[in-house]
Amino acid sequence: NAGVTQTPKFRILKIGQSMTLQCTQDMNHNYMYWYRQDPGMGLKLIYYSVGAGITDKGEVPNGYNVSRSTTEDFPLRLELAAPSQTSVYFCASSYPDRGYEQYFGPGTRLTVT
Amino acid sequence: QKEVEQNSGPLSVPEGAIASLNCTYSDRGSQSFFWYRQYSGKSPELIMFIYSNGDKEDGRFTAQLNKASQYVSLLIRDSQPSDSATYLCAVSPPGTYKYIFGTGTRLKVLA
């Protein structure tokens, strides 16, 4: 199993550009999450999904969109990139059991200039 | 009040000592509590989770939960330089499938 994979690893965007961060998991997890982590800070939840076709906002959803058409994939779309979106983005997935242990991808480091 | 609070550190301990990391949370109904370790430039990895009041031990790690006082702690015995990392506390609010993370405590174990 590859676990949770994310692409790209690094990206530099200009202000106003758009991009999609890809996330795929091969563990058949129902739940998937997108977080952002700013330097020296904890993780902030952007969006999450409890299954294909179902998504919901987290703490910091503004400027982002998601879709979940399959169990495996949970892409994050940035429209009109702004410097405030410079961050490291982590995708995670988990089973819907009591533990909710989340397995994290390696992250995407995004810089908006 | 922040939902999950941690001292940002750094917490410096000598090799072989016990490191004590603390976390407080605001939602009294929270049921599930997690400790993640994150090395610099890497993704978080789960160390322990705890649901019930009291202690839970796993090797050199012990998680302690006190729901009445709304705090959860992580003890690392016989600390090693390889334990140097940021430790993130996460709390799952009741009736949700998500975590709220603290800002993390940076631990430095001095050889």
Side-chain angles (χ1 to χ4, degrees), chain A residues 31 33 37 99-102 105, chain B residues 34 36 38 43 51 97 99:
Chain A
Y31 295 2
Y33 311 81
Q37 186 174 37
Y100 303 136
E101 176 182 353
Q102 295 192 4
Chain B
F34 307 83
Y36 281 79
Q38 186 177 28
S43 54
Y51 309 128
Y97 309 106
Y99 294 177

Side-chain angles (χ1 to χ4, degrees), chain B residues 4-104:
Chain B
V4 179
E5 291 203 58
Q6 296 180 256
N7 188 319
S8 60
L11 172 66
S12 296
V13 299
E15 183 175 358
I18 296 175
S20 178
L21 305 160
N22 299 312
C23 170
T24 59
Y25 60 94
S26 60
D27 192 330
R28 186 172 287 278
S30 297
Q31 302 281 344
S32 307
F33 308 87
F34 307 83
W35 283 100
Y36 281 79
R37 177 176 62 199
Q38 186 177 28
Y39 292 113
S40 181
K42 301 295 186 183
S43 54
E45 54 180 335
L46 183 71
I47 298 175
M48 295 191 71
F49 59 86
I50 187 167
Y51 309 128
S52 305
N53 274 331
D55 296 359
K56 180 181 178 182
E57 189 173 315
D58 184 2
R60 296 187 296 113
F61 299 96
T62 299
Q64 299 175 317
L65 175 61
N66 184 323
K67 289 187 177 181
S69 299
Q70 295 176 244
Y71 83 78
V72 57
S73 61
L74 180 70
L75 301 178
I76 306 174
R77 288 182 299 282
D78 188 25
S79 296
Q80 301 297 309
S82 58
D83 294 325
S84 297
T86 296
Y87 289 79
L88 299 166
C89 173
V91 175
S92 187
T96 73
Y97 309 106
K98 53 187 181 180
Y99 294 177
I100 305 296
F101 280 87
T103 54

Side-chain angles (χ1 to χ4, degrees), chain A residues 56-90:
Chain A
D56 206 350
K57 296 177 181 178
E59 303 168 80
V60 290
N62 291 344
Y64 307 95
N65 277 300
V66 294
S67 60
R68 183 99 181 268
S69 57
T70 68
T71 299
E72 295 77 20
D73 300 306
F74 190 39
L76 178 72
R77 178 82 177 161
L78 278 71
E79 305 282 1
L80 298 175
S84 60
Q85 293 178 304
T86 294
S87 191
V88 179
Y89 291 84
F90 289 104

